[in-house]
């Protein structure tokens, strides 16, 4: 049976819209009927106007057309946010990791509702002075925390996701009969903080793969026998640039020189007077928003330990006190902002940040680094 000829559909057909049988192949595929032209010249001349019909008829998938959603199903949940640097969140987050019941039975008070009630009750109280028995428990949990961090650090390489690092930390913590302190602390969703490049602290592990040249801070805290042990370090991913090496070395030196000041009678506020000049001498700045903190049977408590000069911190170091020093050092400005997840702190200018942290015990004669690890040869530190 012959096809019925219809008038040429060109809006400006020079031939007077004669009966035509040249059908638009795209319209045919889309099921659009009646798209016939009197010849190739007429079809081509009308193409810019005619193809609008194709766009209108092509079904749109809101997810596939969203530039924040990747072909593998991962996505950026904050697509309209004005990010300061190049790092983007890669969701979905993996499900909350399970903790065996025998560990949950001895977990911190925030394990179910996310609220550290004990911290609120003791807010503003003088720093806790640990008994000899409590000091031994702190030594043990800090030793285990160091083991877990070293295991996580050994897995750092291009291609691994920060979520996979979270799984490594979680499993290593559970194997040691401990609870991963970050998990559900003020509703934090993961067992470790992983902060990459311009992320200063509290980065949430997700599906982003580490890339050659990145730097990553891994912040581990364990809770066991009623006490927390907290530490972190920053690591290169493969080969990094000279600025990143300078940044990491500076952050480590800031911490090490501050630790040398710690002893009975030393003032908490004096630590920043040593840290900030070192950062400035190396072309870096010191974050002011976050500080070190007391740690014992509470995750965060007095004393507050600022890392910048001319701070007004209150307190004198006394034997039996335990606290962290953890200077966050930036290549650019010291200021920061937060992602919409209310956790991830990033540099205000998108430049990189590095951090190192140890848990310390003030002794009768000086200081004991409870989370001490091996010197970092990859940073040229012996």
């Amino acid at each position: 049976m012959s096809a019925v000829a219809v008038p040429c559909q060109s809006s400006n057909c020079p031939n007077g819209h004669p009966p035509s049988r040249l059908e638009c192949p795209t319209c045919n595929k889309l099921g659009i009927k009646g798209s016939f032209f009197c010849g190739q010249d007429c079809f081509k001349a009308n193409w810019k106007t005619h193809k609008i019909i194709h766009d209108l008829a092509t079904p749109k998938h809101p997810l596939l057309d969203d530039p924040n959603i990747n072909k593998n199903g991962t996505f950026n949940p904050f697509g309209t946010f004005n990010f300061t640097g190049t790092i983007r969140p890669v969701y979905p987050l993996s499900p909350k990791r399970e903790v065996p019941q025998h560990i949950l039975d001895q977990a911190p008070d925030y394990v179910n509702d996310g609220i550290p009630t004990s911290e609120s009750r003791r807010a503003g109280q003088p720093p806790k002075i640990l008994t000899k028995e409590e000091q031994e428990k702190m030594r043990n949990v800090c030793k285990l925390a160091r083991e877990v961090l070293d295991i996580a650090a050994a897995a750092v390489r291009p291609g691994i996701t920060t979520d996979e690092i979270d799984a490594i930390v979680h499993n290593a913590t559970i194997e040691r009969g401990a609870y991963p302190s970050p998990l559900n602390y003020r509703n934090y969703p993961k067992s470790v903080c992983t902060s990459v490049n311009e992320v200063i602290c509290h980065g949430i592990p997700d599906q982003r793969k580490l890339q050659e040249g990145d730097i990553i801070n891994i912040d581990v805290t364990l809770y066991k026998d009623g006490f927390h042990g907290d530490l972190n370090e920053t690591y290169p991913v493969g080969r990094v640039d000279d600025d990143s090496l300078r940044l990491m070395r500076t952050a480590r030196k800031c911490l090490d020189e501050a630790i040398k000041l710690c002893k009975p009678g030393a003032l908490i506020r004096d630590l920043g007077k040593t840290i900030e000049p070192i950062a400035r001498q190396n072309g870096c700045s010191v974050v002011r928003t976050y500080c070190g903190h007391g740690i014992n049977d509470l995750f965060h408590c007095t004393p507050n330990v600022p890392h910048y000069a001319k701070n007004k911190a209150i307190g004198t170091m006394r034997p039996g006190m335990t606290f962290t020093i953890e200077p966050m050092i930036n290549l650019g400005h010291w200021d920061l902002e937060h992602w919409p997840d209310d956790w991830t702190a990033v540099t205000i200018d998108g430049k990189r940040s590095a951090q190192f942290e140890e848990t310390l015990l003030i002794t009768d004669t000086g200081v004991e680094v409870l989370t001490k690890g091996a010197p970092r040869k990859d940073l040229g530190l012996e």
Side-chain angles (χ1 to χ4, degrees), residues 87-135:
I87 297 297
R88 300 290 184 272
V90 183
Y91 279 44
L93 299 183
S94 59
K96 182 179 178 181
R97 303 195 191 282
E98 295 185 2
V99 178
Q101 190 59 51
H102 71 279
I103 294 177
L104 288 175
D105 289 342
Q106 302 180 52
D109 60 359
Y110 54 81
V111 65
N112 293 317
D113 61 9
I115 302 172
T117 305
S118 297
E119 289 186 6
S120 299
R121 288 174 180 166
R122 282 165 50 184
Q125 293 185 11
K128 180 181 176 68
I129 302 301
L130 273 59
T131 66
K132 295 298 183 183
E133 181 182 357
E134 290 171 331
Q135 290 176 29

Side-chain angles (χ1 to χ4, degrees), residues 87 89 91 93 162-163 165-166 182 188-206 216-219 290 338-339 341-346 355:
I87 297 297
Y91 279 44
L93 299 183
T162 49
D163 184 67
I165 293 174
D166 180 72
Y188 184 80
K190 293 297 174 182
S191 297
V192 69
C193 296
T194 52
S195 302
V196 180
N197 296 349
E198 73 267 19
V199 180
I200 296 171
C201 60
H202 305 156
I204 298 174
D206 61 17
I216 178 173
N217 178 273
I218 303 177
D219 193 339
Y290 291 102
H338 291 91
W339 284 359
D341 59 24
D342 294 328
W343 280 107
T344 307
V346 295
Q355 181 188 15

Side-chain angles (χ1 to χ4, degrees), residues 9 13 38 81 102 127 163 289 294-295 339 358 361 369 376:
Q9 299 298 300
C13 177
C38 61
F81 181 71
H102 71 279
D163 184 67
T289 309
I295 185 169
W339 284 359
E358 305 280 12
L361 166 67
V369 183
R376 288 284 299 279

Side-chain angles (χ1 to χ4, degrees), residues 12-240:
N12 55 356
C13 177
N15 301 317
H17 303 282
S20 306
R21 288 191 173 89
L22 177 62
E23 185 179 16
C24 171
T26 302
C27 285
N28 182 280
K29 291 180 180 178
L30 293 173
I32 301 172
K33 297 182 179 180
S35 293
F36 291 89
F37 298 84
C38 61
Q40 287 287 350
D41 291 341
C42 202
F43 178 57
K44 292 178 181 178
N46 194 61
W47 173 247
K48 287 186 179 180
T49 303
H50 175 72
K51 70 176 183 178
I52 296 174
I53 298 174
H54 303 160
D55 295 335
L56 294 173
T58 302
K60 303 292 183 182
H61 193 297
L63 297 182
L64 294 179
D65 291 339
D66 189 332
N68 295 302
I69 297 177
N70 304 313
K71 292 181 179 179
N72 63 1
T74 60
F75 61 94
N76 172 5
F78 316 125
T80 60
F81 181 71
N82 186 22
F83 292 91
T84 65
T86 60
I87 297 297
R88 300 290 184 272
V90 183
Y91 279 44
L93 299 183
S94 59
K96 182 179 178 181
R97 303 195 191 282
E98 295 185 2
V99 178
Q101 190 59 51
H102 71 279
I103 294 177
L104 288 175
D105 289 342
Q106 302 180 52
D109 60 359
Y110 54 81
V111 65
N112 293 317
D113 61 9
I115 302 172
T117 305
S118 297
E119 289 186 6
S120 299
R121 288 174 180 166
R122 282 165 50 184
Q125 293 185 11
K128 180 181 176 68
I129 302 301
L130 273 59
T131 66
K132 295 298 183 183
E133 181 182 357
E134 290 171 331
Q135 290 176 29
E136 280 304 310
K137 291 182 178 180
M138 280 293 292
R139 285 190 181 92
N140 182 53
V141 71
C142 287
K143 173 178 175 292
L144 297 178
R146 166 55 69 179
E147 291 176 3
V148 172
L149 178 61
D150 289 346
I151 291 170
V156 171
R157 65 183 185 279
I160 193 171
T161 67
T162 49
D163 184 67
E164 289 172 316
I165 293 174
D166 180 72
I168 290 169
V169 168
H170 183 88
N171 293 335
T173 300
I174 298 304
E175 288 170 3
R176 286 159 177 76
Y179 181 84
S181 302
L183 186 60
N184 210 41
Y185 178 79
R186 301 188 185 277
N187 299 309
Y188 184 80
K190 293 297 174 182
S191 297
V192 69
C193 296
T194 52
S195 302
V196 180
N197 296 349
E198 73 267 19
V199 180
I200 296 171
C201 60
H202 305 156
I204 298 174
D206 61 17
Q207 304 301 322
R208 182 186 181 275
K209 295 181 179 180
L210 295 183
Q211 300 175 10
E212 182 86 15
D214 285 344
I215 61 173
I216 178 173
N217 178 273
I218 303 177
D219 193 339
V220 168
T221 313
L222 268 60
Y223 180 83
K224 185 177 176 66
D225 294 331
F227 288 85
H228 298 269
D230 189 6
L231 77 163
N232 73 58
E233 296 198 18
T234 304
Y235 304 92
V237 182
R239 298 186 63 179
V240 300

